[in-house]
Amino acid sequence: MCGRYASARKKHELLEEFQVEQDGEPDKELNADYNVAPTKNVYAVLSRVPKEAERAVRQLRIVKWGLVPAWAKDPSIGSRMINARAETLAEKPSFRQAFAKRRCLLPADGYFEWMPVEGEKKKKQPYFIHPSDGGVLAMAGLYEFWKDPSRDDDDPLKWLVTCTVITTNAEDKLGRIHDRMPMMIERERWAEWLDPKLTDTEQAGALLVPAEPGRLTAYAVSTDVNNVRNNGPDLIKPLPEGEETALF
C-alpha cells in the first residue's frame, strides 16, 4: 500500500512540470508537505471538458486523499479508500466508474514504506522511495465527486472531491521493503492516461506499467515520519551511515 508520501514542490513548479492549462484553485496553495497522510488535501492533475468547450483542459486541483464514491452515504468511507489495486480497478464498484472516466496524476517527491526489522517483532524501519533521477513521481490516481445531501446547492462545500492512489506489485529491490508500491505513470503516457474520452478500461489498463527496475531508489530515514504530526525536510534525509545497518 501507499499510506504516506512527500509533496514539497511549489504550485508554480507543478503547473509548469505538468503543462497545466488551468489552475483550478487560483486563490489557494498547499504548503510543502513532507508527511502527506490520508484525509489530507493534496494536488491532483486531471483533464476535464469545461461547459460549452470542445476539448478537455488539463487542470491542477486540490482534492482530499481518500476516495468517496458518488453513491456513498457517508464521506467517512474515504479513510478506507486511500489505495486502489491496479489488478481489480475495472471490477470493484468503488473504483470502476472513476477508472473509466476520472483518472488523475498525483504529484509526489517520493513515498514512504516500512520494513520489519529483523529480530524485532514490533519494530519497523521507514524508507523513502523516490525517482532515481530526482524528478517528480507522477502517481496514477482516480478522483471522484461526492455530493453532500445535507448542504444547500449554493454552499461551496456542497461537493467533495477526493482521490485514491493506484498500487501495483513491487518487484526488484523495492519488493524487499514492501510488496506493494504506487503505480507510476511515465511522462509519455500522461496525456493518454488523463484523456477523459478514453473510457475503455482495457485500453486504460494497458497504460498501467510498473516502474522499470532502477527507476526508483530507496534509503532509510528517521522514524520521526511515523508520527503524522511531524513534518519538514528532515523527514526525507537519509539516515547517517551506520545507523541503518545497526537496525538489522
Side-chain angles (χ1 to χ4, degrees), residues 82-131:
I82 65 169
N83 290 159
R85 295 176 69 91
E87 300 88 342
T88 56
L89 288 174
E91 305 166 14
K92 297 287 187 179
S94 300
F95 305 123
R96 61 190 178 197
Q97 284 296 319
F99 182 40
K101 301 178 180 179
R102 289 176 289 278
R103 298 178 297 274
C104 66
L105 296 171
L106 301 169
D109 298 306
Y111 67 99
F112 298 95
E113 279 298 357
W114 284 257
M115 181 179 179
V117 175
E118 187 175 350
E120 298 191 40
K121 292 182 179 180
K122 296 184 178 181
K123 196 168 186 179
K124 292 185 177 182
Q125 171 62 49
Y127 284 80
F128 184 60
I129 304 170
H130 62 98

mmCIF file of all heavy atoms in Angstrom, residues 82-131:
data_model
loop_
_atom_site.group_PDB
_atom_site.id
_atom_site.type_symbol
_atom_site.label_atom_id
_atom_site.label_comp_id
_atom_site.label_asym_id
_atom_site.label_seq_id
_atom_site.Cartn_x
_atom_site.Cartn_y
_atom_site.Cartn_z
ATOM 1 N N ILE A 82 -7.892 4.800 0.410
ATOM 2 C CA ILE A 82 -6.711 5.586 0.038
ATOM 3 C C ILE A 82 -5.934 4.944 -1.101
ATOM 4 O O ILE A 82 -5.186 5.616 -1.809
ATOM 5 C CB ILE A 82 -5.793 5.820 1.245
ATOM 6 C CG1 ILE A 82 -5.205 4.499 1.766
ATOM 7 C CG2 ILE A 82 -6.527 6.557 2.344
ATOM 8 C CD1 ILE A 82 -4.093 4.675 2.783
ATOM 9 N N ASN A 83 -6.100 3.637 -1.276
ATOM 10 C CA ASN A 83 -5.406 2.901 -2.341
ATOM 11 C C ASN A 83 -6.394 2.084 -3.141
ATOM 12 O O ASN A 83 -7.421 1.632 -2.625
ATOM 13 C CB ASN A 83 -4.355 1.956 -1.769
ATOM 14 C CG ASN A 83 -3.146 2.653 -1.166
ATOM 15 O OD1 ASN A 83 -2.434 2.075 -0.355
ATOM 16 N ND2 ASN A 83 -2.896 3.896 -1.554
ATOM 17 N N ALA A 84 -6.064 1.871 -4.425
ATOM 18 C CA ALA A 84 -6.867 1.022 -5.302
ATOM 19 C C ALA A 84 -5.903 0.080 -6.037
ATOM 20 O O ALA A 84 -4.960 0.547 -6.680
ATOM 21 C CB ALA A 84 -7.651 1.864 -6.299
ATOM 22 N N ARG A 85 -6.128 -1.205 -5.920
ATOM 23 C CA ARG A 85 -5.237 -2.179 -6.565
ATOM 24 C C ARG A 85 -5.439 -2.154 -8.081
ATOM 25 O O ARG A 85 -6.570 -2.263 -8.577
ATOM 26 C CB ARG A 85 -5.510 -3.581 -6.031
ATOM 27 C CG ARG A 85 -5.178 -3.750 -4.548
ATOM 28 C CD ARG A 85 -5.571 -5.133 -4.056
ATOM 29 N NE ARG A 85 -4.722 -6.165 -4.627
ATOM 30 C CZ ARG A 85 -3.588 -6.617 -4.066
ATOM 31 N NH1 ARG A 85 -3.200 -6.123 -2.903
ATOM 32 N NH2 ARG A 85 -2.874 -7.549 -4.641
ATOM 33 N N ALA A 86 -4.342 -2.019 -8.826
ATOM 34 C CA ALA A 86 -4.417 -1.951 -10.282
ATOM 35 C C ALA A 86 -5.073 -3.190 -10.877
ATOM 36 O O ALA A 86 -5.763 -3.107 -11.897
ATOM 37 C CB ALA A 86 -3.010 -1.778 -10.868
ATOM 38 N N GLU A 87 -4.900 -4.326 -10.214
ATOM 39 C CA GLU A 87 -5.399 -5.589 -10.746
ATOM 40 C C GLU A 87 -6.923 -5.693 -10.761
ATOM 41 O O GLU A 87 -7.489 -6.488 -11.521
ATOM 42 C CB GLU A 87 -4.821 -6.758 -9.933
ATOM 43 C CG GLU A 87 -3.309 -6.859 -9.948
ATOM 44 C CD GLU A 87 -2.628 -6.035 -8.863
ATOM 45 O OE1 GLU A 87 -3.278 -5.118 -8.306
ATOM 46 O OE2 GLU A 87 -1.451 -6.306 -8.569
ATOM 47 N N THR A 88 -7.603 -4.901 -9.931
ATOM 48 C CA THR A 88 -9.062 -5.050 -9.800
ATOM 49 C C THR A 88 -9.831 -3.750 -10.030
ATOM 50 O O THR A 88 -10.998 -3.651 -9.670
ATOM 51 C CB THR A 88 -9.407 -5.603 -8.404
ATOM 52 O OG1 THR A 88 -8.857 -4.737 -7.388
ATOM 53 C CG2 THR A 88 -8.842 -7.007 -8.214
ATOM 54 N N LEU A 89 -9.215 -2.764 -10.649
ATOM 55 C CA LEU A 89 -9.864 -1.460 -10.845
ATOM 56 C C LEU A 89 -11.173 -1.560 -11.623
ATOM 57 O O LEU A 89 -12.148 -0.879 -11.307
ATOM 58 C CB LEU A 89 -8.922 -0.513 -11.599
ATOM 59 C CG LEU A 89 -7.716 0.022 -10.831
ATOM 60 C CD1 LEU A 89 -6.831 0.823 -11.764
ATOM 61 C CD2 LEU A 89 -8.162 0.884 -9.664
ATOM 62 N N ALA A 90 -11.170 -2.392 -12.652
ATOM 63 C CA ALA A 90 -12.348 -2.485 -13.520
ATOM 64 C C ALA A 90 -13.476 -3.312 -12.898
ATOM 65 O O ALA A 90 -14.585 -3.352 -13.437
ATOM 66 C CB ALA A 90 -11.956 -3.074 -14.867
ATOM 67 N N GLU A 91 -13.196 -3.966 -11.764
ATOM 68 C CA GLU A 91 -14.178 -4.851 -11.144
ATOM 69 C C GLU A 91 -14.820 -4.251 -9.893
ATOM 70 O O GLU A 91 -16.013 -4.438 -9.644
ATOM 71 C CB GLU A 91 -13.518 -6.180 -10.770
ATOM 72 C CG GLU A 91 -12.830 -6.876 -11.939
ATOM 73 C CD GLU A 91 -11.922 -7.998 -11.472
ATOM 74 O OE1 GLU A 91 -12.027 -8.394 -10.288
ATOM 75 O OE2 GLU A 91 -11.097 -8.475 -12.275
ATOM 76 N N LYS A 92 -14.054 -3.534 -9.105
ATOM 77 C CA LYS A 92 -14.547 -3.030 -7.828
ATOM 78 C C LYS A 92 -15.559 -1.898 -8.025
ATOM 79 O O LYS A 92 -15.262 -0.904 -8.706
ATOM 80 C CB LYS A 92 -13.376 -2.515 -6.979
ATOM 81 C CG LYS A 92 -12.365 -3.584 -6.589
ATOM 82 C CD LYS A 92 -12.925 -4.514 -5.536
ATOM 83 C CE LYS A 92 -11.863 -5.476 -5.026
ATOM 84 N NZ LYS A 92 -12.396 -6.374 -3.988
ATOM 85 N N PRO A 93 -16.758 -2.008 -7.440
ATOM 86 C CA PRO A 93 -17.772 -0.955 -7.572
ATOM 87 C C PRO A 93 -17.275 0.413 -7.122
ATOM 88 O O PRO A 93 -17.704 1.437 -7.658
ATOM 89 C CB PRO A 93 -18.913 -1.454 -6.677
ATOM 90 C CG PRO A 93 -18.740 -2.938 -6.629
ATOM 91 C CD PRO A 93 -17.248 -3.154 -6.658
ATOM 92 N N SER A 94 -16.362 0.439 -6.170
ATOM 93 C CA SER A 94 -15.867 1.711 -5.636
ATOM 94 C C SER A 94 -14.992 2.458 -6.632
ATOM 95 O O SER A 94 -14.863 3.683 -6.549
ATOM 96 C CB SER A 94 -15.069 1.466 -4.352
ATOM 97 O OG SER A 94 -15.863 0.843 -3.373
ATOM 98 N N PHE A 95 -14.388 1.723 -7.582
ATOM 99 C CA PHE A 95 -13.397 2.345 -8.454
ATOM 100 C C PHE A 95 -13.703 2.267 -9.944
ATOM 101 O O PHE A 95 -13.132 3.046 -10.721
ATOM 102 C CB PHE A 95 -12.021 1.700 -8.210
ATOM 103 C CG PHE A 95 -11.567 1.730 -6.781
ATOM 104 C CD1 PHE A 95 -11.241 0.557 -6.104
ATOM 105 C CD2 PHE A 95 -11.474 2.921 -6.086
ATOM 106 C CE1 PHE A 95 -10.820 0.571 -4.785
ATOM 107 C CE2 PHE A 95 -11.057 2.959 -4.759
ATOM 108 C CZ PHE A 95 -10.734 1.777 -4.108
ATOM 109 N N ARG A 96 -14.552 1.377 -10.380
ATOM 110 C CA ARG A 96 -14.663 1.121 -11.819
ATOM 111 C C ARG A 96 -15.175 2.319 -12.622
ATOM 112 O O ARG A 96 -14.708 2.544 -13.752
ATOM 113 C CB ARG A 96 -15.521 -0.111 -12.067
ATOM 114 C CG ARG A 96 -16.951 -0.056 -11.579
ATOM 115 C CD ARG A 96 -17.596 -1.422 -11.685
ATOM 116 N NE ARG A 96 -18.969 -1.433 -11.183
ATOM 117 C CZ ARG A 96 -19.623 -2.539 -10.869
ATOM 118 N NH1 ARG A 96 -19.032 -3.720 -10.998
ATOM 119 N NH2 ARG A 96 -20.871 -2.475 -10.426
ATOM 120 N N GLN A 97 -16.115 3.100 -12.068
ATOM 121 C CA GLN A 97 -16.590 4.274 -12.798
ATOM 122 C C GLN A 97 -15.498 5.335 -12.904
ATOM 123 O O GLN A 97 -15.306 5.950 -13.956
ATOM 124 C CB GLN A 97 -17.831 4.852 -12.111
ATOM 125 C CG GLN A 97 -19.102 4.066 -12.356
ATOM 126 C CD GLN A 97 -19.510 4.065 -13.821
ATOM 127 O OE1 GLN A 97 -19.417 5.087 -14.505
ATOM 128 N NE2 GLN A 97 -19.955 2.916 -14.315
ATOM 129 N N ALA A 98 -14.788 5.555 -11.818
ATOM 130 C CA ALA A 98 -13.699 6.528 -11.836
ATOM 131 C C ALA A 98 -12.576 6.065 -12.753
ATOM 132 O O ALA A 98 -11.951 6.878 -13.449
ATOM 133 C CB ALA A 98 -13.174 6.751 -10.422
ATOM 134 N N PHE A 99 -12.303 4.773 -12.784
ATOM 135 C CA PHE A 99 -11.257 4.242 -13.652
ATOM 136 C C PHE A 99 -11.597 4.508 -15.120
ATOM 137 O O PHE A 99 -10.720 4.812 -15.927
ATOM 138 C CB PHE A 99 -11.092 2.739 -13.403
ATOM 139 C CG PHE A 99 -10.013 2.087 -14.214
ATOM 140 C CD1 PHE A 99 -8.803 2.720 -14.431
ATOM 141 C CD2 PHE A 99 -10.210 0.820 -14.752
ATOM 142 C CE1 PHE A 99 -7.800 2.100 -15.184
ATOM 143 C CE2 PHE A 99 -9.221 0.201 -15.500
ATOM 144 C CZ PHE A 99 -8.015 0.847 -15.712
ATOM 145 N N ALA A 100 -12.856 4.429 -15.454
ATOM 146 C CA ALA A 100 -13.277 4.649 -16.835
ATOM 147 C C ALA A 100 -13.324 6.129 -17.214
ATOM 148 O O ALA A 100 -13.074 6.489 -18.367
ATOM 149 C CB ALA A 100 -14.641 4.013 -17.070
ATOM 150 N N LYS A 101 -13.610 6.999 -16.245
ATOM 151 C CA LYS A 101 -13.887 8.392 -16.596
ATOM 152 C C LYS A 101 -13.100 9.450 -15.836
ATOM 153 O O LYS A 101 -13.023 10.594 -16.285
ATOM 154 C CB LYS A 101 -15.380 8.674 -16.378
ATOM 155 C CG LYS A 101 -16.308 7.792 -17.190
ATOM 156 C CD LYS A 101 -17.759 8.111 -16.858
ATOM 157 C CE LYS A 101 -18.717 7.231 -17.652
ATOM 158 N NZ LYS A 101 -20.140 7.525 -17.322
ATOM 159 N N ARG A 102 -12.543 9.096 -14.683
ATOM 160 C CA ARG A 102 -11.934 10.124 -13.841
ATOM 161 C C ARG A 102 -10.564 9.680 -13.328
ATOM 162 O O ARG A 102 -10.373 9.385 -12.152
ATOM 163 C CB ARG A 102 -12.882 10.475 -12.675
ATOM 164 C CG ARG A 102 -14.110 11.252 -13.131
ATOM 165 C CD ARG A 102 -15.080 11.508 -12.007
ATOM 166 N NE ARG A 102 -15.763 10.277 -11.588
ATOM 167 C CZ ARG A 102 -16.815 9.771 -12.196
ATOM 168 N NH1 ARG A 102 -17.318 10.354 -13.260
ATOM 169 N NH2 ARG A 102 -17.376 8.656 -11.752
ATOM 170 N N ARG A 103 -9.610 9.656 -14.231
ATOM 171 C CA ARG A 103 -8.228 9.302 -13.875
ATOM 172 C C ARG A 103 -7.418 10.580 -13.656
ATOM 173 O O ARG A 103 -7.669 11.606 -14.280
ATOM 174 C CB ARG A 103 -7.598 8.442 -14.983
ATOM 175 C CG ARG A 103 -8.318 7.114 -15.212
ATOM 176 C CD ARG A 103 -7.669 6.327 -16.349
ATOM 177 N NE ARG A 103 -7.761 7.050 -17.615
ATOM 178 C CZ ARG A 103 -8.796 7.000 -18.440
ATOM 179 N NH1 ARG A 103 -9.862 6.278 -18.138
ATOM 180 N NH2 ARG A 103 -8.777 7.679 -19.571
ATOM 181 N N CYS A 104 -6.438 10.506 -12.788
ATOM 182 C CA CYS A 104 -5.626 11.680 -12.494
ATOM 183 C C CYS A 104 -4.188 11.277 -12.212
ATOM 184 O O CYS A 104 -3.850 10.093 -12.140
ATOM 185 C CB CYS A 104 -6.208 12.457 -11.315
ATOM 186 S SG CYS A 104 -6.167 11.566 -9.727
ATOM 187 N N LEU A 105 -3.350 12.277 -12.044
ATOM 188 C CA LEU A 105 -1.964 12.097 -11.614
ATOM 189 C C LEU A 105 -1.800 12.806 -10.279
ATOM 190 O O LEU A 105 -2.285 13.930 -10.099
ATOM 191 C CB LEU A 105 -0.993 12.693 -12.640
ATOM 192 C CG LEU A 105 -0.979 12.059 -14.027
ATOM 193 C CD1 LEU A 105 -0.133 12.894 -14.987
ATOM 194 C CD2 LEU A 105 -0.448 10.629 -13.965
ATOM 195 N N LEU A 106 -1.138 12.154 -9.353
ATOM 196 C CA LEU A 106 -0.904 12.729 -8.031
ATOM 197 C C LEU A 106 0.598 12.981 -7.883
ATOM 198 O O LEU A 106 1.381 12.047 -7.713
ATOM 199 C CB LEU A 106 -1.417 11.778 -6.951
ATOM 200 C CG LEU A 106 -2.913 11.462 -7.064
ATOM 201 C CD1 LEU A 106 -3.290 10.311 -6.134
ATOM 202 C CD2 LEU A 106 -3.752 12.698 -6.761
ATOM 203 N N PRO A 107 1.029 14.235 -7.987
ATOM 204 C CA PRO A 107 2.455 14.557 -7.930
ATOM 205 C C PRO A 107 3.049 14.307 -6.539
ATOM 206 O O PRO A 107 2.455 14.659 -5.523
ATOM 207 C CB PRO A 107 2.499 16.050 -8.272
ATOM 208 C CG PRO A 107 1.167 16.365 -8.873
ATOM 209 C CD PRO A 107 0.202 15.424 -8.219
ATOM 210 N N ALA A 108 4.221 13.698 -6.524
ATOM 211 C CA ALA A 108 4.921 13.451 -5.257
ATOM 212 C C ALA A 108 6.419 13.546 -5.491
ATOM 213 O O ALA A 108 6.904 13.387 -6.609
ATOM 214 C CB ALA A 108 4.551 12.072 -4.711
ATOM 215 N N ASP A 109 7.142 13.811 -4.416
ATOM 216 C CA ASP A 109 8.601 13.754 -4.480
ATOM 217 C C ASP A 109 9.062 12.328 -4.222
ATOM 218 O O ASP A 109 10.145 11.923 -4.643
ATOM 219 C CB ASP A 109 9.207 14.696 -3.442
ATOM 220 C CG ASP A 109 8.812 16.141 -3.699
ATOM 221 O OD1 ASP A 109 9.034 16.624 -4.820
ATOM 222 O OD2 ASP A 109 8.259 16.780 -2.790
ATOM 223 N N GLY A 110 8.237 11.579 -3.521
ATOM 224 C CA GLY A 110 8.537 10.188 -3.202
ATOM 225 C C GLY A 110 7.535 9.716 -2.169
ATOM 226 O O GLY A 110 6.677 10.486 -1.720
ATOM 227 N N TYR A 111 7.637 8.456 -1.774
ATOM 228 C CA TYR A 111 6.699 7.922 -0.784
ATOM 229 C C TYR A 111 7.462 7.112 0.265
ATOM 230 O O TYR A 111 8.646 6.780 0.092
ATOM 231 C CB TYR A 111 5.625 7.060 -1.463
ATOM 232 C CG TYR A 111 6.140 5.776 -2.087
ATOM 233 C CD1 TYR A 111 6.022 4.554 -1.425
ATOM 234 C CD2 TYR A 111 6.725 5.775 -3.349
ATOM 235 C CE1 TYR A 111 6.492 3.376 -1.998
ATOM 236 C CE2 TYR A 111 7.190 4.610 -3.931
ATOM 237 C CZ TYR A 111 7.069 3.408 -3.253
ATOM 238 O OH TYR A 111 7.539 2.249 -3.821
ATOM 239 N N PHE A 112 6.777 6.802 1.356
ATOM 240 C CA PHE A 112 7.393 6.081 2.463
ATOM 241 C C PHE A 112 6.814 4.669 2.568
ATOM 242 O O PHE A 112 5.628 4.444 2.343
ATOM 243 C CB PHE A 112 7.144 6.803 3.790
ATOM 244 C CG PHE A 112 7.729 8.190 3.859
ATOM 245 C CD1 PHE A 112 6.954 9.302 3.560
ATOM 246 C CD2 PHE A 112 9.046 8.389 4.238
ATOM 247 C CE1 PHE A 112 7.471 10.581 3.627
ATOM 248 C CE2 PHE A 112 9.587 9.666 4.312
ATOM 249 C CZ PHE A 112 8.791 10.770 4.006
ATOM 250 N N GLU A 113 7.679 3.739 2.923
ATOM 251 C CA GLU A 113 7.248 2.379 3.263
ATOM 252 C C GLU A 113 8.063 1.915 4.456
ATOM 253 O O GLU A 113 9.174 2.407 4.700
ATOM 254 C CB GLU A 113 7.402 1.415 2.095
ATOM 255 C CG GLU A 113 6.277 1.479 1.070
ATOM 256 C CD GLU A 113 4.902 1.116 1.623
ATOM 257 O OE1 GLU A 113 4.816 0.743 2.817
ATOM 258 O OE2 GLU A 113 3.925 1.215 0.876
ATOM 259 N N TRP A 114 7.521 0.946 5.184
ATOM 260 C CA TRP A 114 8.152 0.456 6.400
ATOM 261 C C TRP A 114 8.518 -1.018 6.245
ATOM 262 O O TRP A 114 7.707 -1.831 5.796
ATOM 263 C CB TRP A 114 7.212 0.632 7.583
ATOM 264 C CG TRP A 114 7.134 2.042 8.073
ATOM 265 C CD1 TRP A 114 7.737 2.558 9.173
ATOM 266 C CD2 TRP A 114 6.414 3.135 7.480
ATOM 267 N NE1 TRP A 114 7.452 3.893 9.318
ATOM 268 C CE2 TRP A 114 6.632 4.279 8.283
ATOM 269 C CE3 TRP A 114 5.607 3.266 6.334
ATOM 270 C CZ2 TRP A 114 6.088 5.527 7.988
ATOM 271 C CZ3 TRP A 114 5.054 4.508 6.037
ATOM 272 C CH2 TRP A 114 5.300 5.619 6.866
ATOM 273 N N MET A 115 9.734 -1.346 6.643
ATOM 274 C CA MET A 115 10.229 -2.717 6.547
ATOM 275 C C MET A 115 10.484 -3.268 7.953
ATOM 276 O O MET A 115 11.125 -2.606 8.781
ATOM 277 C CB MET A 115 11.535 -2.739 5.747
ATOM 278 C CG MET A 115 12.132 -4.108 5.553
ATOM 279 S SD MET A 115 13.653 -4.004 4.561
ATOM 280 C CE MET A 115 14.151 -5.723 4.525
ATOM 281 N N PRO A 116 9.945 -4.459 8.252
ATOM 282 C CA PRO A 116 10.186 -5.046 9.583
ATOM 283 C C PRO A 116 11.678 -5.194 9.853
ATOM 284 O O PRO A 116 12.457 -5.553 8.969
ATOM 285 C CB PRO A 116 9.510 -6.418 9.486
ATOM 286 C CG PRO A 116 8.464 -6.245 8.433
ATOM 287 C CD PRO A 116 9.086 -5.318 7.412
ATOM 288 N N VAL A 117 12.060 -4.908 11.073
ATOM 289 C CA VAL A 117 13.464 -5.047 11.479
ATOM 290 C C VAL A 117 13.700 -6.477 11.928
ATOM 291 O O VAL A 117 12.973 -7.007 12.780
ATOM 292 C CB VAL A 117 13.800 -4.057 12.619
ATOM 293 C CG1 VAL A 117 15.231 -4.295 13.122
ATOM 294 C CG2 VAL A 117 13.621 -2.626 12.137
ATOM 295 N N GLU A 118 14.686 -7.092 11.344
ATOM 296 C CA GLU A 118 14.978 -8.495 11.641
ATOM 297 C C GLU A 118 15.271 -8.696 13.130
ATOM 298 O O GLU A 118 16.056 -7.960 13.729
ATOM 299 C CB GLU A 118 16.185 -8.965 10.821
ATOM 300 C CG GLU A 118 16.460 -10.447 10.932
ATOM 301 C CD GLU A 118 17.581 -10.904 10.020
ATOM 302 O OE1 GLU A 118 18.012 -10.104 9.161
ATOM 303 O OE2 GLU A 118 18.035 -12.058 10.165
ATOM 304 N N GLY A 119 14.589 -9.654 13.719
ATOM 305 C CA GLY A 119 14.817 -9.990 15.121
ATOM 306 C C GLY A 119 13.990 -9.188 16.107
ATOM 307 O O GLY A 119 14.045 -9.442 17.302
ATOM 308 N N GLU A 120 13.235 -8.210 15.587
ATOM 309 C CA GLU A 120 12.400 -7.396 16.478
ATOM 310 C C GLU A 120 10.985 -7.358 15.910
ATOM 311 O O GLU A 120 10.729 -6.729 14.892
ATOM 312 C CB GLU A 120 12.967 -5.985 16.614
ATOM 313 C CG GLU A 120 14.372 -5.967 17.227
ATOM 314 C CD GLU A 120 14.807 -4.567 17.605
ATOM 315 O OE1 GLU A 120 13.960 -3.805 18.120
ATOM 316 O OE2 GLU A 120 15.977 -4.232 17.376
ATOM 317 N N LYS A 121 10.054 -8.029 16.569
ATOM 318 C CA LYS A 121 8.715 -8.231 16.034
ATOM 319 C C LYS A 121 7.956 -6.941 15.757
ATOM 320 O O LYS A 121 7.249 -6.825 14.762
ATOM 321 C CB LYS A 121 7.909 -9.101 17.001
ATOM 322 C CG LYS A 121 8.399 -10.543 17.091
ATOM 323 C CD LYS A 121 7.506 -11.346 18.022
ATOM 324 C CE LYS A 121 7.977 -12.800 18.107
ATOM 325 N NZ LYS A 121 7.110 -13.610 19.010
ATOM 326 N N LYS A 122 8.080 -5.957 16.638
ATOM 327 C CA LYS A 122 7.252 -4.760 16.510
ATOM 328 C C LYS A 122 7.964 -3.571 15.864
ATOM 329 O O LYS A 122 7.333 -2.551 15.599
ATOM 330 C CB LYS A 122 6.729 -4.351 17.889
ATOM 331 C CG LYS A 122 5.791 -5.382 18.516
ATOM 332 C CD LYS A 122 5.232 -4.871 19.832
ATOM 333 C CE LYS A 122 4.259 -5.871 20.441
ATOM 334 N NZ LYS A 122 3.685 -5.384 21.723
ATOM 335 N N LYS A 123 9.241 -3.694 15.604
ATOM 336 C CA LYS A 123 9.988 -2.550 15.103
ATOM 337 C C LYS A 123 10.069 -2.575 13.574
ATOM 338 O O LYS A 123 10.302 -3.614 12.973
ATOM 339 C CB LYS A 123 11.402 -2.556 15.684
ATOM 340 C CG LYS A 123 12.135 -1.226 15.533
ATOM 341 C CD LYS A 123 13.395 -1.193 16.383
ATOM 342 C CE LYS A 123 14.045 0.171 16.352
ATOM 343 N NZ LYS A 123 15.261 0.235 17.195
ATOM 344 N N LYS A 124 9.826 -1.407 12.967
ATOM 345 C CA LYS A 124 9.910 -1.285 11.515
ATOM 346 C C LYS A 124 10.757 -0.065 11.146
ATOM 347 O O LYS A 124 10.696 0.966 11.814
ATOM 348 C CB LYS A 124 8.516 -1.152 10.898
ATOM 349 C CG LYS A 124 7.669 -2.418 11.002
ATOM 350 C CD LYS A 124 6.364 -2.249 10.259
ATOM 351 C CE LYS A 124 5.537 -3.528 10.298
ATOM 352 N NZ LYS A 124 4.273 -3.382 9.523
ATOM 353 N N GLN A 125 11.535 -0.235 10.077
ATOM 354 C CA GLN A 125 12.395 0.845 9.605
ATOM 355 C C GLN A 125 11.736 1.540 8.409
ATOM 356 O O GLN A 125 11.422 0.897 7.415
ATOM 357 C CB GLN A 125 13.754 0.288 9.170
ATOM 358 C CG GLN A 125 14.657 1.281 8.458
ATOM 359 C CD GLN A 125 15.010 2.464 9.340
ATOM 360 O OE1 GLN A 125 15.409 2.298 10.477
ATOM 361 N NE2 GLN A 125 14.832 3.667 8.809
ATOM 362 N N PRO A 126 11.482 2.853 8.498
ATOM 363 C CA PRO A 126 10.903 3.556 7.348
ATOM 364 C C PRO A 126 11.945 3.842 6.264
ATOM 365 O O PRO A 126 13.118 4.094 6.563
ATOM 366 C CB PRO A 126 10.383 4.858 7.962
ATOM 367 C CG PRO A 126 11.233 5.083 9.166
ATOM 368 C CD PRO A 126 11.594 3.718 9.685
ATOM 369 N N TYR A 127 11.485 3.790 5.020
ATOM 370 C CA TYR A 127 12.322 4.101 3.856
ATOM 371 C C TYR A 127 11.629 5.159 3.023
ATOM 372 O O TYR A 127 10.390 5.164 2.908
ATOM 373 C CB TYR A 127 12.551 2.860 2.993
ATOM 374 C CG TYR A 127 13.558 1.881 3.562
ATOM 375 C CD1 TYR A 127 13.191 0.987 4.561
ATOM 376 C CD2 TYR A 127 14.869 1.861 3.101
ATOM 377 C CE1 TYR A 127 14.109 0.092 5.091
ATOM 378 C CE2 TYR A 127 15.795 0.966 3.625
ATOM 379 C CZ TYR A 127 15.410 0.098 4.619
ATOM 380 O OH TYR A 127 16.326 -0.788 5.147
ATOM 381 N N PHE A 128 12.429 6.031 2.419
ATOM 382 C CA PHE A 128 11.899 6.993 1.464
ATOM 383 C C PHE A 128 12.258 6.494 0.078
ATOM 384 O O PHE A 128 13.425 6.247 -0.235
ATOM 385 C CB PHE A 128 12.492 8.380 1.700
ATOM 386 C CG PHE A 128 11.908 9.446 0.806
ATOM 387 C CD1 PHE A 128 10.552 9.736 0.844
ATOM 388 C CD2 PHE A 128 12.719 10.160 -0.065
ATOM 389 C CE1 PHE A 128 10.003 10.721 0.035
ATOM 390 C CE2 PHE A 128 12.183 11.142 -0.880
ATOM 391 C CZ PHE A 128 10.826 11.427 -0.833
ATOM 392 N N ILE A 129 11.236 6.336 -0.762
ATOM 393 C CA ILE A 129 11.413 5.780 -2.099
ATOM 394 C C ILE A 129 11.052 6.859 -3.111
ATOM 395 O O ILE A 129 9.964 7.444 -3.044
ATOM 396 C CB ILE A 129 10.510 4.541 -2.280
ATOM 397 C CG1 ILE A 129 10.830 3.512 -1.174
ATOM 398 C CG2 ILE A 129 10.708 3.923 -3.660
ATOM 399 C CD1 ILE A 129 9.846 2.361 -1.094
ATOM 400 N N HIS A 130 11.956 7.123 -4.043
ATOM 401 C CA HIS A 130 11.764 8.257 -4.954
ATOM 402 C C HIS A 130 12.421 7.988 -6.305
ATOM 403 O O HIS A 130 13.246 7.063 -6.425
ATOM 404 C CB HIS A 130 12.366 9.520 -4.326
ATOM 405 C CG HIS A 130 13.849 9.417 -4.098
ATOM 406 N ND1 HIS A 130 14.772 9.942 -4.979
ATOM 407 C CD2 HIS A 130 14.576 8.816 -3.118
ATOM 408 C CE1 HIS A 130 16.002 9.679 -4.526
ATOM 409 N NE2 HIS A 130 15.901 8.998 -3.409
ATOM 410 N N PRO A 131 12.091 8.776 -7.336
ATOM 411 C CA PRO A 131 12.720 8.593 -8.640
ATOM 412 C C PRO A 131 14.231 8.765 -8.550
ATOM 413 O O PRO A 131 14.720 9.704 -7.908
ATOM 414 C CB PRO A 131 12.082 9.688 -9.506
ATOM 415 C CG PRO A 131 10.739 9.911 -8.881
ATOM 416 C CD PRO A 131 10.990 9.769 -7.396
#
